[in-house]
Structure formats: structure tokens, C-alpha cells
Amino acid sequence: TQSHATKEKDSNQVLESCEEPKMACVGSSISFENSPTLAFPSISTADFHFNLEKASDIIVEKVEEYVNKLGNARLVLVDLSQNSKILSLVRAKAAEKNIDSKKFFTFVGNITKLYSEGGLHCNVIANATNWRLKPGGGGVNAAIFSAAGPALETATKAKAGSLNSGKAIVVPLPSSSPLFSGEGVTHVIHVLGPNMNPQRPNCLNNDYVKGCKILREAYSSLFDGFASIVR
Ligand code: AR6
């Protein structure tokens, strides 16, 4: 319904003015609950067969690089299962770094239902897409295009017809999309990661020198895209 988006807008305004009792100010520490939040899946590690150890190093490295540049905005790595290997690797590696756990954490849930099923407000979600920026194909791409309805395909086409690997593209989600009205998602950022799956286009044949470089570029491009929305 429209009411969620309205509710969220109101509480953001409250957060800025810091006046209401409902307000999430406790002493001088401001709650991050209504902060701009990017939920992102682990790029390339399922259908694209990218090595999980290497991917988890890169995720933690890039989060560490960006998290303090983003003000009070949050980054959340999401996966479907409690047993997700990539989530546990990233959690363990992030714990060894000096990363603020309010600004970066992992979350188990469907990225298209984070608010309705998980109570987590994420105004921006990332999609691990394909080079044609087309719906379907399985994984998180199929889930996001399906949950967002045709409005996302139209809005995506208006921005670009294809994407190079290592790049991301920010797509504002029309308010007619159920992801906007039901989940409070205002933007989808499509990201194309490196592909190690011989059954998919542009396979890198286990060239992890290239692959890691492209995955780093993909996360930089994703987080730069999120920063451009937050600003
Ligand atoms: N919610 C949260 N996480 C998810 C969801 C979901 N609904 N679905 C999958 N994941 P993948 P890739 C996690 O395969 O490896 C597509 O067909 C999943 O467990 O979606 O970059 C595209 O069209 C994993 O951790 O993306 C491309 O052709 C992560 O999301 C290709 O797959 C990424 O898995 C891209 O492959």
C-alpha cells in the first residue's frame, strides 16, 4: 500500500528534526533504523560460479572502503538461507576489521521482501543481473524483476540496453511498482559481476586475476551508485 512509503517519509523527516518522542534519538546516539539502506546480494557467487573465499575478501574490503564515506547510510549483505556460506565467511572476516556493525551487517531473507517479512527498511536494493538487463534467468535477477513488475523493466530500458561486467546502473523505481508501494524500495541498482560459468556469456575461464579486478569494480560501481542516491 501507499501508506508504507508515506510512513517512511514521515519518519525520515522526524529523524532529521530530532524532535518527536517516537524519534530514535537516545542521548546523542541516533538510531540507524530509518537510515538510507542498501541491501545487496553477493554478486557472481551463485549462477556465475565465482569462488566464495575470494568474493568474501572483496566484499569486506569494499565495505570497509565505503562504509564510512556514506554518512549514516547502511550496507546490508543479504542471502536466502541461514546456512549461506557467503554470509558466514563475510561475517567472520568483517568481525576482524574495524567495521561499525550498525552500518554493515548480514541479513537472511528474500531481498524482495525484506520489509514485509523481515521488518528491515531498505530503500535501495541491488540486483545481480545479466548483460542484457533482462528479467528471468533465475537467481536474484528473476526474483527482483518478478516482484517489481513490468515497471522495472520499462524503467531499466529507459536507462540502458545492456551492461558491461564490473559496472552498475541506478534505476529509480516507479511508484506503481509493488516493490515501491509494499516494500519501500525507491531504487534498484543492477550490477553485472564477472562470470566463471562456462554456460553463461563472457566466461572468464577461471582467470581470477581478471575476475577479482572486475568484482572489485562491480562493488565500487554499486556503492558509488548508492552514494549518488544518498547525497
Ligand atoms: N533474495 C536474496 N538473495 C538471493 C535471492 C533472493 N531472492 N535469490 C538469490 N539470492 P545469483 P550471480 C542470492 O545466481 O551469481 C541470473 O540468472 C544467491 O544465494 O542470483 O551474480 C542473472 O540473470 C547468491 O548468494 O547471481 C545472471 O545471468 C546471490 O544472490 C546470473 O544469474 C547471487 O546469486 C548472475 O549470477
Side-chain angles (χ1 to χ4, degrees):
T1 64
Q2 196 64 43
S3 70
H4 165 57
T6 313
K7 197 169 62 193
E8 185 159 61
K9 197 166 156 253
D10 288 350
S11 52
N12 277 340
Q13 284 162 354
V14 172
L15 189 64
E16 276 161 30
S17 65
C18 243
E19 275 162 0
E20 280 221 357
K22 254 197 295 165
M23 186 37 236
C25 282
V26 181
S28 59
S29 90
I30 294 169
S31 162
F32 286 80
E33 240 171 78
N34 293 306
S35 303
T37 304
L38 168 70
F40 65 101
S42 168
I43 307 299
S44 291
T45 55
D47 191 50
F48 277 178
H49 296 186
F50 200 93
N51 177 277
L52 296 181
E53 280 290 346
K54 291 182 170 59
S56 59
D57 284 339
I58 290 170
I59 292 169
V60 174
E61 173 195 317
K62 285 290 154 186
V63 164
E64 204 185 10
E65 181 185 334
Y66 276 85
V67 81
N68 290 323
K69 293 190 210 165
L70 288 166
N72 69 339
R74 304 184 298 181
L75 303 174
V76 184
L77 175 67
V78 176
D79 201 357
L80 285 169
S81 159
Q82 200 73 57
N83 303 320
S84 163
K85 180 103 188 287
I86 191 76
L87 291 196
S88 38
L89 284 169
V90 167
R91 265 198 304 270
K93 289 173 186 182
E96 288 168 13
K97 308 270 180 168
N98 208 359
I99 297 174
D100 184 342
S101 61
K102 289 193 210 70
K103 290 196 195 173
F104 172 67
F105 52 92
T106 63
F107 195 85
V108 176
N110 184 335
I111 203 163
T112 66
K113 293 180 174 169
L114 293 173
Y115 179 66
S116 58
E117 289 185 354
L120 182 70
H121 284 122
C122 298
N123 60 319
V124 184
I125 63 174
N127 177 29
T129 194
N130 50 70
W131 74 277
R132 289 176 195 276
L133 295 163
K134 286 281 184 207
V140 75
N141 184 73
I144 290 175
F145 271 105
S146 153
L152 177 60
E153 206 185 339
T154 310
T156 300
K157 271 199 196 123
K159 284 268 167 186
S162 66
L163 197 62
N164 289 329
S165 58
K167 300 282 180 216
I169 184 170
V170 175
V171 178
L173 196 58
S175 57
S176 60
S177 168
L179 260 192
F180 185 107
S181 49
E183 302 290 330
V185 174
T186 61
H187 296 77
V188 173
I189 306 181
H190 298 295
V191 190
L192 184 62
N195 171 37
M196 295 297 180
N197 180 350
Q199 321 252 303
R200 300 285 177 267
N202 302 314
C203 176
L204 291 172
N205 297 311
N206 276 336
D207 181 346
Y208 273 98
V209 175
K210 259 191 206 152
C212 288
K213 181 170 177 276
I214 294 173
L215 193 60
R216 284 195 180 88
E217 287 167 4
Y219 281 107
S220 293
S221 187
L222 168 60
F223 295 154
D224 283 334
F226 179 51
S228 75
I229 297 168
V230 169
R231 255 176 237 129

